[in-house]
Amino acid sequence: MNEQNSTPSAKLISHVLLDFSSEAEMELFINYVEKTGANFYENMKKIGLMRFRLNQVWNKEGGFALSSLFEYKDENAYLKGQKVIEKHFKENENFFKKITVKRLTTRTFNLLDYNY
């Protein structure tokens, strides 16, 4: 395996942990992202989002959680992305009122990136 330590291309990362009150709400959210995700990603890509991931947390005993990861090329892309996200939430407000979700967001700077 060829291991490389390189300067990361994504400069800012936003990680969001989404805790749902039930499996049904989590599945509803996954279905929503499956339907709207490609269009959302394309809009975010235009402003500098390099990667978006939605992951299911499997080690949360007795709970239902997802995590999402946004990798931005720079601070400007991140700031523009926040506006796109706010607009998306506003345009889809009726959906988000139907689910109970607790969000924990962390923002990080990428220091090292090991590519295999």
Side-chain angles (χ1 to χ4, degrees):
M1 198 176 335
N2 184 12
E3 185 177 322
Q4 297 177 329
N5 177 4
S6 63
T7 303
S9 54
K11 301 298 181 201
L12 290 171
I13 298 169
S14 178
H15 179 263
V16 183
L17 181 62
L18 304 160
D19 272 318
F20 295 89
S21 61
S22 70
E23 185 175 14
E25 286 186 323
M26 182 180 75
E27 292 296 331
L28 186 63
F29 183 81
I30 292 169
N31 187 310
Y32 169 80
V33 173
E34 287 174 339
K35 290 180 180 174
T36 64
N39 186 50
F40 174 77
Y41 176 74
E42 286 304 315
N43 288 332
M44 293 290 284
K45 187 177 175 182
K46 291 175 188 173
I47 55 90
L49 183 72
M50 300 174 67
R51 184 179 194 182
F52 169 74
R53 294 183 70 168
L54 182 66
N55 307 292
Q56 184 169 355
V57 178
W58 58 269
N59 66 335
K60 185 150 173 44
E61 201 170 310
F64 307 99
L66 301 173
S67 70
S68 61
L69 183 74
F70 298 82
E71 294 184 11
Y72 297 94
K73 72 176 183 177
D74 57 27
E75 184 178 1
N76 188 40
Y78 165 78
L79 294 172
K80 287 180 181 179
Q82 296 311 293
K83 292 177 183 176
V84 172
I85 292 169
E86 286 174 22
K87 182 180 177 193
H88 180 80
F89 275 113
K90 193 172 204 174
E91 289 173 348
N92 296 281
E93 185 175 28
N94 287 335
F95 170 79
F96 290 106
K97 285 182 179 180
K98 294 177 188 176
I99 60 173
T100 302
V101 60
K102 185 172 91 175
R103 291 176 182 82
L104 173 63
T105 303
T106 58
R107 307 269 181 341
T108 63
F109 294 105
N110 202 346
L111 299 177
L112 294 173
D113 191 356
Y114 290 89
N115 297 313
Y116 299 96

